[in-house]
Amino acid sequence: MSHSPPSQVKKHLNGITLLCLAFVICNSWAGIAGSLQLAILAGGPATLVYSIIVAATAYLAIAASMAELAAVYPTAGGQYHIASILAPERWRQGVSYTCGLLALFSWLVIGVSVTSIAAQQLMALVATSLSDFVPQPWHIFFVYQGLALFAIIYNTFLLKKNPWTHNVACLYWWVPFVVMEQGFRSRTIAIVIVSISIVMAMTIIIATQEASSRLAWALARDKGLLFSQYIEHVHPHLEVPIRSVLLIWVLTFICGFLYLASQTDYTCVILGFCLLLALANWWLYAKDHYNGPVIETWESYEAEPASVSTILSQTKKVNEGTA
């Protein structure tokens, strides 16, 4: 069955830049540093050391498996495409859709959380510098929206031509080690560390918005999102799926209002909001239009549902030099 050519986004990340992007998003060392106290209190130094070894081993196995699948059949959808490939045919639609929505909203929540943390840090920095200033929730709200808007503008107009910013951000993540060696007794050093943390958070916000917008674009191509025909559009000059980028910004914007509504149960409110969106999207559109990811072959724009046999046949053609 022939299909019209699906919208395409040209690759602009090489291997090193992609590695830097992943490092910036994962923020591994900062996560470990933030949980050191909990690990030591829970089980002592032994727990800290061996838990890292066990976790690293498990995640290396997961990463190796996903890397193998991605190398055999690289797609924009990533995990939900792989889920469709591996799932039994009768479960393919439900499994891949669930995986895709979970991945999309996971990226969204990460971006929202980091944006919120950066906004709170910035207000805390202002309060530290101005003794008579008391941050209010609406202050944090406007800073949050400003940070999110900056990231969207950067992703839309600048990142495509400047992917090296991910490389710079990766190197920048090592700056705090130098600063921390100076100690924490100085108020000036404390302000510098918080300032560095805010800049680091901005690099994460930009990276997560880029990842989530590309995933939204991939889902739209597969008719998995409401208004898919509109969202899947790629701007011909910017070469960016600008409408999926705007979709992520709108969702991030709404999450900012949810912060104003409830600061104490913010996480629960966000999760409830995402669940409501997922159910509404399925009921209003996806259940009638989404049939699993459609993956184009490497020979033409002839498209077919993803399957293991498709992967093996395409891999064989590539190895033989006929694809």
Side-chain angles (χ1 to χ4, degrees):
M1 179 179 179
S2 61
H3 296 260
S4 59
S7 57
Q8 298 291 310
V9 174
K10 293 183 179 180
K11 297 179 181 179
H12 67 285
L13 300 178
N14 57 36
I16 298 298
T17 303
L18 191 60
L19 181 63
C20 292
L21 172 65
F23 181 85
V24 169
I25 294 175
C26 290
N27 188 12
S28 300
W29 73 261
I32 293 174
S35 60
L36 280 176
Q37 183 179 4
L38 295 176
I40 292 175
L41 290 175
T47 300
L48 177 64
V49 173
Y50 290 112
S51 63
I52 292 176
I53 295 175
V54 172
T57 303
Y59 276 100
L60 281 173
I62 295 172
S65 299
M66 294 188 67
E68 184 177 7
L69 287 167
V72 172
Y73 210 85
T75 66
Q79 290 171 313
Y80 85 90
H81 278 185
I82 294 173
S84 176
I85 292 169
L86 298 180
E89 186 171 354
R90 63 174 181 168
W91 298 104
R92 180 176 297 160
Q93 180 188 24
V95 170
S96 61
Y97 175 79
T98 302
C99 184
L101 263 291
L102 284 174
L104 176 60
F105 287 127
S106 295
W107 282 112
L108 175 65
V109 170
I110 291 172
V112 167
S113 300
V114 176
T115 307
S116 176
I117 292 172
Q120 293 178 48
Q121 287 180 331
L122 186 56
M123 285 295 93
L125 191 62
V126 174
T128 302
S129 303
L130 303 175
S131 57
D132 58 342
F133 177 76
V134 179
Q136 301 297 324
W138 65 270
H139 292 144
I140 298 175
F141 168 78
F142 279 109
V143 173
Y144 167 95
Q145 299 296 0
L147 295 176
L149 182 61
F150 171 80
I152 287 297
I153 293 174
Y154 192 90
N155 269 302
T156 302
F157 299 104
L158 299 175
L159 187 59
K160 184 74 175 182
K161 296 181 179 180
N162 302 284
W164 51 265
T165 52
H166 291 312
N167 303 55
V168 175
C170 182
L171 294 175
Y172 182 81
W173 276 92
W174 299 96
V175 173
F177 283 118
V178 179
V179 178
M180 288 179 183
E181 288 180 354
Q182 307 300 320
F184 293 92
R185 296 182 180 180
S186 170
R187 182 170 176 268
T188 303
I189 293 296
I191 292 176
V192 170
I193 291 175
V194 174
S195 301
I196 292 174
S197 177
I198 294 171
V199 176
M200 292 163 68
M202 279 306 307
T203 64
I204 300 177
I205 296 169
I206 292 171
T208 53
Q209 285 190 359
E210 180 184 17
S212 56
S213 64
R214 298 313 187 269
L215 184 54
W217 167 76
L219 275 168
R221 283 207 316 173
D222 294 330
K223 310 306 177 189
L225 294 179
L226 193 63
F227 307 116
S228 286
Q229 290 184 333
Y230 179 81
I231 297 172
E232 69 174 325
H233 174 75
V234 177
H235 195 281
H237 301 298
L238 295 175
E239 298 180 351
V240 171
I242 188 169
R243 294 173 183 174
S244 67
V245 173
L246 290 175
L247 171 64
I248 297 302
W249 175 72
V250 169
L251 294 177
T252 304
F253 183 83
I254 294 173
C255 289
F257 280 99
L258 296 179
Y259 175 80
L260 280 180
S262 175
Q263 291 96 49
T264 55
D265 299 322
Y266 184 54
T267 302
C268 295
V269 172
I270 293 297
L271 293 177
F273 172 66
C274 291
L275 179 60
L276 180 62
L277 283 180
L279 294 175
N281 182 75
W282 171 260
W283 183 259
L284 295 175
Y285 184 83
K287 68 182 179 68
D288 297 322
H289 297 84
Y290 180 77
N291 295 312
V294 176
I295 302 176
E296 61 192 272
T297 67
W298 296 334
E299 292 180 319
S300 65
Y301 283 111
E302 294 293 323
E304 57 185 289
S307 65
V308 175
S309 60
T310 303
I311 292 175
L312 295 178
S313 63
Q314 292 297 338
T315 304
K316 183 178 179 181
K317 291 178 182 179
V318 170
N319 292 335
E320 293 175 351
T322 60

